Amino acid sequence: MKSILSFYSTNKKHIFLFTGILLSGLFMIPFLLLGTESIITYHDQLDGELFSYLLTARYLFTEIRVYPEIMNGLPAAGAVPPAPLFVLLYVILKPFTAFMFSQWIIYLTAFLGMYLLLAKLTGKEFISFSIAVIFMLLPFYPVYGLCIPGQPLLFFAVLSLYRGELSLSPPANAAKISLRSFGKKRLPYYLLIVLYGAASSLVLVGFACLLVLGISALYRTIAALRSKERFGTHIPVLLSLWVSPAILLTTYIMTNFDLIRQVLFPETTYISHKTEMVLSAQNFFDYFKESFTTGISYAQSYHTVVFFLLFLCPALAFLHFLSRSRRGKNFPLQNAFRPLTKAFGILFFILMVCLFYAFYHESFITGLRNASDGILKTFNLDRVCWLLPTAWCVLAGYLLSFLADFWKSLTVAFDDKNRPSKAVSLLESSLLYGIIFAVLGIWGVTVLLHCPLRPNLSKLLKGGDYYALDWNDFFAEDIFSQINAAIGEPRESYRVVNVGIYPAAAAYNGFYCLDGYSNNYPLEYKHTFRQIMEGELNKSDYVRDFFDNWGNRCYITTAEQANYYTFEKKWNSVIYDLDLSTDKLKEMNCRYIFSAAYLMNAEEMGLSLLREAPFETEGSWYHIYVYVVN
């Protein structure tokens, strides 16, 4: 037993690293067993962002900058993948395999980054490992790459570049350090920064990371100028601080060239449909509560149990100071209270971000943005909230480290006369460590219940009894192959639109669609597409506002079905009075309408069924009627 404990004590860092890497592979087993029957969150993934990877990969080594498959020709700036480096996966692998590989990369990166960052900040391997596993299981979207899961690795790399010189009292050999700072030992950390920039999005969260790194560099530069030390002795620290965001910014410029060109030189590209968006003001307190307690969409950390620590740790600190006069020694517990001080700094950062998020959506700022025609309106600064999952994990790491050190430091503070009995010491120590395990356990279970692993585990256990839309159901390759065979014409020779089916499903199967999903496409095309379904928009204020004031989903949206975009076969959906402009459809070379609902007034619109029976398979999620535009 002693030899095992000795081995663990000597190699625990490597043991935790190996265990985390092993877990990242084990978490992929349900996806590997289910294959294309895996349940994937399709909102903002399969219905949109996935296709930006497919299109970019398809035309990566060509000069084509307008993709003909969706929206009658979508400019490349309208299909920028959030993680450009992940495009290479879609170049060399099939789409599902590439998607799964990106999921594993996210698991691995999230664990390694958070573990290494917390271990460097707190020195507590078990706490760092546990929080890293929780962070790994958060419901990250693979299509967004390393935007959130890669942040700890980014900050670990930056911290490692100047960790030894964080104090304003640099070592005597500072000049030698500056010469070595760009050497081989530091190259891996610079490469990690490049990796994050190439596998994340500038507009989604990259700007926030640059802001944090820039403010940190500026703060320490000012501190160096005001210090009594010679400024030259601080050069190694400042070089690392300023070079890191410079490398990240350069990487973003190289991987987002089309998008940056459109923002800086709009006359050379096109006017985005976002210029017509009408933003809605939100309640300040509701949005602050959402961001602070649960986290916003795509950046949820389910950190409710951490609030218990926010009350407990300050309470213990307060009780300690009240009882100091009873001790024989005046020992202030500096080591134990250092992580608590840092935790309050992280908490202040979280509060500032949440307040900014709420204020950004308040009526005053929303009014200013609506009145603007430029980047103030189209660029979403509220995504600074994507920094919060990492911040909450670091905060929890500091608070749990405080608990772990508190009793150990507290016992040292007593002299022999006032030292508590061993029984009392054991009881209080067990209580504190029990709290640590309980917090980690509750947080872990909560995250597990919300992570994408859970529905797939449920499907493995329940088999066919578990009913949910999976990859196969969404793309329905078997159904669309039937349709292609029945039409019997080259798919590039005509266009289609979809009703009750996500256009991404048809486009994935090789059909060229007039409809599609993009957060940045030409305003002119929005106006053109609007003419197709103007009759439907006039029927419903909700549908009209949704398209006119937002418009990212350039879909055939009906007044009868509102914002339902996929109709299940078991519904036997019927649309009684569809009002589309068939003249405009013919003008745009649209010959077929794929509909998951039966259209009662098809003949009145000049439509006829390709065949009476819908295209379907026994287990398909939907059936598809194919209407010919006569």
Side-chain angles (χ1 to χ4, degrees), residues 496-569:
V496 304
V497 293
N498 302 269
V499 177
I501 308 162
Y502 282 102
Y508 181 88
N509 287 279
F511 292 94
Y512 287 62
C513 303
L514 295 182
D515 40 1
Y517 181 18
S518 172
N519 57 17
N520 181 21
Y521 65 93
L523 178 63
E524 181 182 3
Y525 187 76
K526 179 183 177 182
H527 293 165
T528 300
F529 191 85
R530 191 187 193 283
Q531 297 176 38
I532 297 175
M533 58 173 185
E534 185 173 4
E536 287 297 315
L537 299 181
N538 292 336
K539 294 179 186 178
S540 168
D541 292 340
Y542 172 81
V543 172
R544 183 174 61 255
D545 290 343
F546 191 73
F547 182 82
D548 288 347
N549 296 341
W550 188 54
N552 282 7
R553 296 190 186 275
C554 201
Y555 293 176
I556 299 294
T557 310
T558 68
E560 293 180 37
Q561 300 293 344
N563 61 344
Y564 282 95
Y565 305 122
T566 178
F567 304 159
E568 296 182 45
K569 177 172 62 175

Coordinates of all heavy atoms in Angstrom, one line a residue, residues 496-569:
V496 N -34.9 24.0 -55.8 CA -36.0 23.5 -55.0 C -36.2 24.4 -53.8 O -35.3 25.2 -53.4 CB -35.8 22.1 -54.5 CG1 -35.5 21.1 -55.6 CG2 -34.7 22.0 -53.4
V497 N -37.4 24.4 -53.2 CA -37.6 25.0 -51.9 C -38.3 23.9 -51.0 O -38.8 22.9 -51.5 CB -38.5 26.2 -52.0 CG1 -37.8 27.4 -52.7 CG2 -39.9 25.9 -52.6
N498 N -38.3 24.2 -49.7 CA -38.7 23.2 -48.7 C -39.8 23.7 -47.8 O -39.7 24.9 -47.4 CB -37.5 22.7 -47.9 CG -36.4 22.1 -48.7 OD1 -36.3 20.9 -49.0 ND2 -35.5 23.0 -49.2
V499 N -40.7 22.9 -47.5 CA -41.8 23.2 -46.5 C -41.8 22.1 -45.5 O -42.0 21.0 -45.8 CB -43.2 23.4 -47.2 CG1 -44.3 23.7 -46.2 CG2 -43.1 24.5 -48.3
G500 N -41.6 22.5 -44.2 CA -41.6 21.5 -43.2 C -40.4 20.6 -43.1 O -40.4 19.6 -42.5
I501 N -39.4 21.0 -43.8 CA -38.1 20.3 -43.9 C -37.0 21.4 -43.8 O -37.1 22.4 -44.5 CB -37.9 19.5 -45.1 CG1 -39.1 18.6 -45.4 CG2 -36.6 18.6 -45.1 CD1 -39.2 18.1 -46.8
Y502 N -36.0 21.1 -43.0 CA -34.9 22.1 -43.0 C -34.2 22.0 -44.4 O -33.8 20.9 -44.9 CB -33.8 21.7 -41.9 CG -34.3 22.2 -40.6 CD1 -34.8 21.2 -39.7 CD2 -34.1 23.5 -40.2 CE1 -35.2 21.6 -38.4 CE2 -34.5 23.9 -38.9 CZ -35.0 23.0 -38.0 OH -35.4 23.4 -36.8
P503 N -33.9 23.2 -45.0 CA -33.2 23.2 -46.3 C -31.9 22.5 -46.3 O -31.4 21.9 -47.3 CB -33.1 24.7 -46.6 CG -34.2 25.3 -45.9 CD -34.4 24.5 -44.6
A504 N -31.2 22.5 -45.1 CA -29.9 21.9 -45.0 C -30.0 20.4 -45.3 O -29.0 19.8 -45.8 CB -29.4 22.1 -43.6
A505 N -31.1 19.7 -45.0 CA -31.3 18.3 -45.3 C -31.3 18.1 -46.8 O -30.6 17.2 -47.3 CB -32.6 17.8 -44.7
A506 N -32.0 18.9 -47.6 CA -32.0 18.7 -49.0 C -30.7 19.1 -49.6 O -30.2 18.4 -50.5 CB -33.1 19.6 -49.6
A507 N -30.1 20.1 -49.1 CA -28.8 20.6 -49.6 C -27.7 19.5 -49.3 O -26.8 19.3 -50.2 CB -28.4 21.9 -49.1
Y508 N -27.8 18.9 -48.2 CA -26.8 17.9 -47.8 C -26.9 16.7 -48.8 O -25.8 16.1 -49.0 CB -27.1 17.4 -46.4 CG -26.2 16.3 -45.8 CD1 -25.1 16.6 -45.2 CD2 -26.6 14.9 -46.0 CE1 -24.2 15.6 -44.7 CE2 -25.7 14.0 -45.5 CZ -24.6 14.3 -44.8 OH -23.7 13.3 -44.3
N509 N -28.1 16.5 -49.3 CA -28.2 15.4 -50.2 C -28.0 15.8 -51.7 O -28.4 15.0 -52.6 CB -29.6 14.7 -50.1 CG -29.7 13.9 -48.8 OD1 -29.3 12.8 -48.8 ND2 -30.3 14.5 -47.7
G510 N -27.5 16.9 -51.9 CA -27.1 17.3 -53.3 C -28.0 18.2 -54.0 O -27.8 18.5 -55.2
F511 N -29.2 18.5 -53.4 CA -30.1 19.4 -54.1 C -29.7 20.9 -53.9 O -29.2 21.3 -52.9 CB -31.5 19.2 -53.6 CG -32.1 17.8 -53.9 CD1 -31.9 16.7 -53.1 CD2 -32.7 17.6 -55.2 CE1 -32.4 15.5 -53.4 CE2 -33.2 16.3 -55.5 CZ -33.0 15.2 -54.6
Y512 N -30.0 21.7 -55.0 CA -29.7 23.1 -54.9 C -31.0 23.8 -54.5 O -32.0 23.8 -55.1 CB -29.3 23.6 -56.3 CG -27.9 23.1 -56.7 CD1 -27.6 21.7 -56.9 CD2 -26.9 24.0 -57.0 CE1 -26.4 21.2 -57.2 CE2 -25.6 23.5 -57.4 CZ -25.4 22.1 -57.5 OH -24.1 21.7 -57.8
C513 N -30.8 24.6 -53.4 CA -32.0 25.2 -52.7 C -32.0 26.7 -52.8 O -30.9 27.3 -52.8 CB -32.0 24.8 -51.2 SG -32.0 23.0 -50.9
L514 N -33.2 27.2 -53.0 CA -33.4 28.7 -52.9 C -33.4 29.1 -51.5 O -33.0 30.3 -51.2 CB -34.7 29.1 -53.6 CG -34.8 28.9 -55.1 CD1 -36.1 29.4 -55.6 CD2 -33.6 29.5 -55.8
D515 N -33.8 28.3 -50.6 CA -33.8 28.6 -49.1 C -32.6 28.2 -48.4 O -31.8 27.4 -49.0 CB -35.1 28.0 -48.5 CG -35.4 26.6 -48.9 OD1 -34.6 26.1 -49.8 OD2 -36.4 26.0 -48.5
G516 N -32.4 28.7 -47.2 CA -31.2 28.3 -46.5 C -31.1 29.1 -45.2 O -31.9 30.0 -44.9
Y517 N -30.0 28.8 -44.4 CA -29.8 29.5 -43.1 C -28.4 30.1 -43.2 O -27.4 29.5 -43.4 CB -29.9 28.5 -42.0 CG -29.7 29.0 -40.6 CD1 -29.8 30.3 -40.3 CD2 -29.4 28.1 -39.6 CE1 -29.7 30.8 -39.0 CE2 -29.3 28.6 -38.3 CZ -29.4 29.9 -38.0 OH -29.2 30.4 -36.7
S518 N -28.4 31.5 -43.0 CA -27.1 32.2 -43.0 C -27.3 33.4 -42.1 O -28.3 34.1 -42.2 CB -26.6 32.5 -44.4 OG -25.5 33.4 -44.3
N519 N -26.3 33.7 -41.3 CA -26.3 35.0 -40.5 C -25.7 36.2 -41.2 O -25.5 37.2 -40.6 CB -25.7 34.8 -39.2 CG -24.2 34.3 -39.3 OD1 -23.6 34.4 -40.3 ND2 -23.7 33.7 -38.2
N520 N -25.4 36.0 -42.5 CA -24.8 37.1 -43.3 C -24.9 36.8 -44.8 O -24.0 36.3 -45.4 CB -23.3 37.2 -42.9 CG -22.6 38.3 -43.6 OD1 -23.2 39.3 -44.1 ND2 -21.3 38.3 -43.6
Y521 N -26.0 37.2 -45.4 CA -26.2 37.0 -46.8 C -26.7 38.3 -47.4 O -27.1 39.2 -46.7 CB -27.2 35.8 -47.1 CG -28.6 36.0 -46.6 CD1 -29.6 36.5 -47.4 CD2 -29.0 35.7 -45.3 CE1 -30.9 36.7 -47.0 CE2 -30.3 35.8 -44.9 CZ -31.2 36.4 -45.7 OH -32.5 36.5 -45.3
P522 N -26.7 38.4 -48.7 CA -27.0 39.7 -49.4 C -28.4 40.2 -49.1 O -29.4 39.4 -49.2 CB -26.8 39.4 -50.9 CG -25.9 38.3 -50.9 CD -26.2 37.4 -49.7
L523 N -28.6 41.4 -48.7 CA -29.9 42.0 -48.5 C -30.8 41.9 -49.7 O -32.0 41.7 -49.6 CB -29.7 43.5 -48.1 CG -31.0 44.3 -47.8 CD1 -31.8 43.7 -46.7 CD2 -30.7 45.7 -47.5
E524 N -30.2 42.1 -50.9 CA -30.9 42.0 -52.1 C -31.6 40.6 -52.3 O -32.8 40.5 -52.7 CB -30.0 42.2 -53.3 CG -30.7 42.2 -54.7 CD -29.7 42.3 -55.8 OE1 -28.5 42.4 -55.6 OE2 -30.2 42.4 -57.0
Y525 N -30.9 39.6 -51.8 CA -31.5 38.2 -52.0 C -32.7 38.1 -51.0 O -33.7 37.4 -51.3 CB -30.5 37.1 -51.7 CG -31.1 35.8 -52.0 CD1 -31.3 35.3 -53.3 CD2 -31.5 34.9 -51.0 CE1 -31.9 34.1 -53.6 CE2 -32.1 33.7 -51.2 CZ -32.3 33.3 -52.6 OH -32.9 32.1 -52.8
K526 N -32.6 38.7 -49.8 CA -33.7 38.6 -48.8 C -34.9 39.2 -49.4 O -36.0 38.7 -49.3 CB -33.3 39.4 -47.6 CG -34.4 39.4 -46.5 CD -34.0 40.2 -45.3 CE -35.1 40.3 -44.3 NZ -34.8 41.1 -43.1
H527 N -34.8 40.4 -50.1 CA -35.9 41.0 -50.7 C -36.5 40.2 -51.9 O -37.7 40.1 -52.0 CB -35.5 42.4 -51.3 CG -35.2 43.4 -50.2 ND1 -34.5 44.5 -50.5 CD2 -35.4 43.3 -48.9 CE1 -34.3 45.2 -49.3 NE2 -34.8 44.5 -48.3
T528 N -35.6 39.5 -52.6 CA -36.1 38.6 -53.7 C -36.8 37.4 -53.2 O -37.9 37.1 -53.6 CB -34.9 38.2 -54.5 OG1 -34.2 39.3 -55.1 CG2 -35.3 37.3 -55.7
F529 N -36.3 36.8 -52.1 CA -36.9 35.6 -51.6 C -38.3 36.0 -50.9 O -39.2 35.2 -50.9 CB -36.0 35.0 -50.5 CG -36.5 33.6 -50.1 CD1 -36.2 32.5 -50.8 CD2 -37.2 33.5 -48.9 CE1 -36.6 31.2 -50.4 CE2 -37.7 32.2 -48.5 CZ -37.3 31.1 -49.2
R530 N -38.3 37.2 -50.4 CA -39.6 37.6 -49.7 C -40.7 37.6 -50.7 O -41.9 37.3 -50.3 CB -39.4 39.0 -49.1 CG -40.5 39.5 -48.2 CD -40.3 40.9 -47.8 NE -41.2 41.3 -46.7 CZ -42.5 41.5 -46.8 NH1 -43.1 41.4 -48.0 NH2 -43.2 41.8 -45.7
Q531 N -40.5 37.9 -51.9 CA -41.6 37.9 -52.9 C -42.2 36.6 -53.1 O -43.4 36.5 -53.5 CB -41.0 38.4 -54.3 CG -40.5 39.9 -54.2 CD -39.8 40.3 -55.5 OE1 -40.3 39.9 -56.6 NE2 -38.7 41.0 -55.5
I532 N -41.5 35.5 -52.9 CA -42.0 34.1 -53.0 C -43.1 33.9 -52.0 O -44.2 33.4 -52.3 CB -40.9 33.1 -52.8 CG1 -39.8 33.2 -53.9 CG2 -41.5 31.7 -52.8 CD1 -38.7 32.3 -53.7
M533 N -42.9 34.3 -50.7 CA -43.9 34.0 -49.7 C -44.5 35.3 -49.1 O -45.0 35.3 -48.0 CB -43.2 33.2 -48.6 CG -42.1 33.8 -47.9 SD -41.5 32.8 -46.5 CE -40.3 33.9 -45.8
E534 N -44.6 36.3 -49.9 CA -45.2 37.5 -49.4 C -46.7 37.3 -49.0 O -47.1 37.9 -48.0 CB -45.2 38.6 -50.5 CG -45.7 39.9 -50.1 CD -45.5 41.0 -51.1 OE1 -45.1 40.7 -52.2 OE2 -45.8 42.2 -50.8
G535 N -47.4 36.4 -49.7 CA -48.8 36.1 -49.3 C -48.8 35.5 -47.9 O -49.7 35.8 -47.1
E536 N -47.9 34.6 -47.5 CA -47.9 34.0 -46.2 C -47.5 35.1 -45.1 O -48.1 35.1 -44.0 CB -46.9 32.9 -46.2 CG -47.4 31.6 -46.9 CD -48.6 31.0 -46.3 OE1 -48.7 30.9 -45.1 OE2 -49.5 30.7 -47.1
L537 N -46.6 35.9 -45.5 CA -46.1 36.9 -44.5 C -47.3 37.9 -44.2 O -47.4 38.4 -43.0 CB -44.9 37.7 -45.1 CG -43.7 36.9 -45.3 CD1 -42.6 37.8 -45.8 CD2 -43.2 36.2 -44.1
N538 N -48.1 38.2 -45.2 CA -49.2 39.1 -44.9 C -50.3 38.5 -44.0 O -51.2 39.3 -43.5 CB -49.8 39.5 -46.3 CG -48.9 40.4 -47.1 OD1 -48.0 41.1 -46.5 ND2 -49.0 40.4 -48.4
K539 N -50.3 37.2 -43.9 CA -51.3 36.6 -43.1 C -51.0 36.6 -41.6 O -51.9 36.5 -40.7 CB -51.5 35.1 -43.4 CG -52.0 34.8 -44.8 CD -52.0 33.3 -45.0 CE -52.4 32.9 -46.4 NZ -52.3 31.4 -46.6
S540 N -49.7 36.8 -41.2 CA -49.3 36.6 -39.8 C -48.3 37.7 -39.4 O -47.2 37.7 -40.0 CB -48.8 35.2 -39.6 OG -48.1 35.1 -38.3
D541 N -48.6 38.4 -38.4 CA -47.7 39.4 -37.9 C -46.4 38.7 -37.3 O -45.3 39.2 -37.5 CB -48.3 40.3 -36.8 CG -49.4 41.2 -37.3 OD1 -49.4 41.4 -38.6 OD2 -50.2 41.6 -36.5
Y542 N -46.6 37.6 -36.7 CA -45.5 36.9 -36.1 C -44.5 36.4 -37.2 O -43.3 36.6 -37.1 CB -46.0 35.7 -35.3 CG -44.9 34.8 -34.8 CD1 -44.2 35.1 -33.7 CD2 -44.5 33.6 -35.5 CE1 -43.1 34.3 -33.2 CE2 -43.5 32.8 -35.1 CZ -42.8 33.1 -33.9 OH -41.8 32.3 -33.5
V543 N -45.0 35.8 -38.2 CA -44.2 35.3 -39.3 C -43.5 36.4 -40.0 O -42.3 36.3 -40.4 CB -45.0 34.4 -40.3 CG1 -44.2 34.0 -41.5 CG2 -45.5 33.1 -39.6
R544 N -44.3 37.5 -40.3 CA -43.7 38.6 -41.0 C -42.6 39.3 -40.2 O -41.5 39.6 -40.7 CB -44.8 39.7 -41.3 CG -44.3 40.9 -42.1 CD -45.4 41.8 -42.5 NE -46.1 42.4 -41.4 CZ -47.3 42.0 -41.0 NH1 -48.0 41.0 -41.7 NH2 -47.9 42.5 -40.0
D545 N -42.8 39.5 -38.9 CA -41.8 40.1 -38.1 C -40.6 39.2 -37.9 O -39.4 39.7 -37.9 CB -42.3 40.4 -36.7 CG -43.4 41.5 -36.6 OD1 -43.4 42.3 -37.6 OD2 -44.1 41.6 -35.7
F546 N -40.8 37.9 -37.9 CA -39.7 37.0 -37.7 C -38.8 37.1 -39.0 O -37.5 37.0 -38.9 CB -40.2 35.6 -37.6 CG -39.2 34.6 -37.2 CD1 -38.7 34.6 -35.9 CD2 -38.7 33.6 -38.1 CE1 -37.7 33.6 -35.5 CE2 -37.8 32.7 -37.7 CZ -37.3 32.7 -36.5
F547 N -39.4 37.2 -40.1 CA -38.6 37.2 -41.4 C -38.0 38.6 -41.6 O -36.8 38.8 -41.9 CB -39.4 36.8 -42.6 CG -38.6 36.8 -43.8 CD1 -37.8 35.7 -44.2 CD2 -38.7 37.8 -44.7 CE1 -37.1 35.6 -45.3 CE2 -38.0 37.8 -45.9 CZ -37.2 36.7 -46.2
D548 N -38.9 39.6 -41.5 CA -38.4 41.0 -41.9 C -37.4 41.6 -40.9 O -36.5 42.2 -41.2 CB -39.6 41.9 -42.0 CG -40.5 41.6 -43.2 OD1 -40.0 40.9 -44.1 OD2 -41.6 42.1 -43.3
N549 N -37.7 41.3 -39.6 CA -36.8 41.9 -38.5 C -35.6 41.1 -38.1 O -34.8 41.6 -37.4 CB -37.7 42.2 -37.3 CG -38.8 43.2 -37.6 OD1 -38.7 44.0 -38.6 ND2 -39.8 43.2 -36.7
W550 N -35.6 39.8 -38.6 CA -34.4 39.0 -38.3 C -33.9 38.4 -39.6 O -32.9 38.9 -40.2 CB -34.8 37.9 -37.3 CG -33.6 37.1 -36.8 CD1 -32.5 37.6 -36.3 CD2 -33.5 35.7 -36.9 NE1 -31.6 36.5 -36.0 CE2 -32.2 35.3 -36.4 CE3 -34.3 34.6 -37.4 CZ2 -31.7 34.0 -36.3 CZ3 -33.8 33.3 -37.3 CH2 -32.6 33.0 -36.7
G551 N -34.5 37.4 -40.1 CA -34.3 36.9 -41.5 C -33.1 36.0 -41.7 O -32.8 35.6 -42.8
N552 N -32.4 35.5 -40.6 CA -31.3 34.6 -40.8 C -31.8 33.3 -41.4 O -31.1 32.7 -42.2 CB -30.7 34.3 -39.4 CG -29.7 35.3 -39.0 OD1 -29.6 36.4 -39.6 ND2 -29.0 35.1 -37.9
R553 N -33.0 32.9 -41.0 CA -33.6 31.7 -41.6 C -34.4 32.2 -42.9 O -35.6 32.7 -42.7 CB -34.6 31.0 -40.6 CG -33.8 30.4 -39.4 CD -34.7 29.5 -38.6 NE -34.0 29.1 -37.4 CZ -33.2 28.0 -37.3 NH1 -32.9 27.4 -38.4 NH2 -32.6 27.7 -36.2
C554 N -33.8 32.0 -44.0 CA -34.5 32.3 -45.2 C -35.3 31.1 -45.7 O -34.9 30.4 -46.6 CB -33.4 32.7 -46.3 SG -34.1 33.7 -47.6
Y555 N -36.4 30.8 -45.0 CA -37.2 29.6 -45.2 C -38.6 30.0 -45.7 O -39.0 31.1 -45.5 CB -37.3 28.9 -43.8 CG -36.1 28.3 -43.2 CD1 -36.2 27.6 -42.0 CD2 -34.9 28.3 -43.9 CE1 -35.1 27.1 -41.4 CE2 -33.8 27.7 -43.3 CZ -33.9 27.1 -42.1 OH -32.8 26.5 -41.5
I556 N -39.2 29.0 -46.3 CA -40.6 29.1 -46.5 C -41.4 28.9 -45.2 O -41.5 27.7 -44.7 CB -41.1 28.1 -47.6 CG1 -40.4 28.3 -48.9 CG2 -42.6 28.1 -47.8 CD1 -40.7 29.6 -49.6
T557 N -41.8 29.9 -44.6 CA -42.5 29.8 -43.3 C -43.9 30.2 -43.5 O -44.3 31.2 -44.1 CB -41.9 30.8 -42.3 OG1 -40.4 30.7 -42.3 CG2 -42.4 30.6 -40.9
T558 N -44.8 29.3 -43.0 CA -46.2 29.4 -43.3 C -46.9 30.0 -42.1 O -46.5 29.8 -40.9 CB -46.9 28.1 -43.7 OG1 -46.9 27.2 -42.6 CG2 -46.1 27.4 -44.8
A559 N -48.0 30.7 -42.4 CA -48.8 31.3 -41.3 C -49.5 30.1 -40.5 O -49.7 30.3 -39.2 CB -49.9 32.2 -41.8
E560 N -49.8 29.0 -41.1 CA -50.5 27.9 -40.4 C -49.6 27.2 -39.5 O -50.0 26.7 -38.4 CB -51.1 27.0 -41.4 CG -52.2 27.6 -42.2 CD -52.8 26.6 -43.2 OE1 -52.9 25.4 -42.9 OE2 -53.2 27.0 -44.4
Q561 N -48.3 27.1 -39.8 CA -47.4 26.3 -39.0 C -46.4 27.1 -38.3 O -45.5 26.6 -37.6 CB -46.6 25.3 -40.0 CG -47.5 24.3 -40.7 CD -48.1 23.3 -39.8 OE1 -47.8 23.1 -38.7 NE2 -49.2 22.7 -40.4
A562 N -46.5 28.5 -38.4 CA -45.6 29.4 -37.7 C -44.1 29.0 -37.8 O -43.7 28.8 -38.9 CB -46.0 29.5 -36.2
N563 N -43.4 28.8 -36.7 CA -42.0 28.6 -36.8 C -41.6 27.1 -36.6 O -40.5 26.8 -36.2 CB -41.3 29.4 -35.8 CG -41.7 29.1 -34.3 OD1 -42.7 28.5 -34.1 ND2 -40.9 29.5 -33.4
Y564 N -42.5 26.2 -37.0 CA -42.2 24.8 -37.0 C -41.5 24.6 -38.4 O -42.0 24.8 -39.4 CB -43.4 23.9 -36.9 CG -43.9 23.8 -35.5 CD1 -44.9 24.6 -35.0 CD2 -43.4 22.8 -34.6 CE1 -45.4 24.5 -33.7 CE2 -43.8 22.7 -33.3 CZ -44.8 23.5 -32.9 OH -45.3 23.4 -31.6
Y565 N -40.2 24.0 -38.3 CA -39.4 23.9 -39.5 C -39.3 22.4 -39.9 O -38.8 22.1 -41.0 CB -38.0 24.4 -39.3 CG -38.1 25.9 -38.9 CD1 -37.4 26.3 -37.7 CD2 -38.7 26.9 -39.6 CE1 -37.5 27.6 -37.3 CE2 -38.8 28.2 -39.2 CZ -38.1 28.5 -38.0 OH -38.2 29.8 -37.6
T566 N -39.7 21.5 -39.1 CA -39.7 20.1 -39.5 C -41.0 19.4 -39.0 O -41.3 19.5 -37.8 CB -38.4 19.4 -38.9 OG1 -38.5 18.0 -39.3 CG2 -38.3 19.5 -37.4
F567 N -41.7 18.8 -39.9 CA -43.0 18.2 -39.6 C -42.8 16.7 -39.5 O -42.3 16.0 -40.5 CB -44.1 18.5 -40.6 CG -44.3 19.9 -40.9 CD1 -44.9 20.3 -42.0 CD2 -44.0 20.9 -39.9 CE1 -45.1 21.7 -42.3 CE2 -44.2 22.2 -40.2 CZ -44.8 22.6 -41.3
E568 N -43.1 16.1 -38.4 CA -42.9 14.6 -38.2 C -44.0 13.9 -39.0 O -45.1 14.4 -39.2 CB -43.0 14.2 -36.8 CG -41.9 14.8 -35.9 CD -42.0 14.4 -34.4 OE1 -42.3 13.1 -34.2 OE2 -41.9 15.2 -33.5
K569 N -43.6 12.7 -39.5 CA -44.5 11.9 -40.3 C -45.8 11.5 -39.6 O -46.9 11.5 -40.1 CB -43.8 10.6 -40.8 CG -44.6 9.7 -41.6 CD -43.8 8.6 -42.2 CE -43.2 7.7 -41.1 NZ -42.5 6.5 -41.7

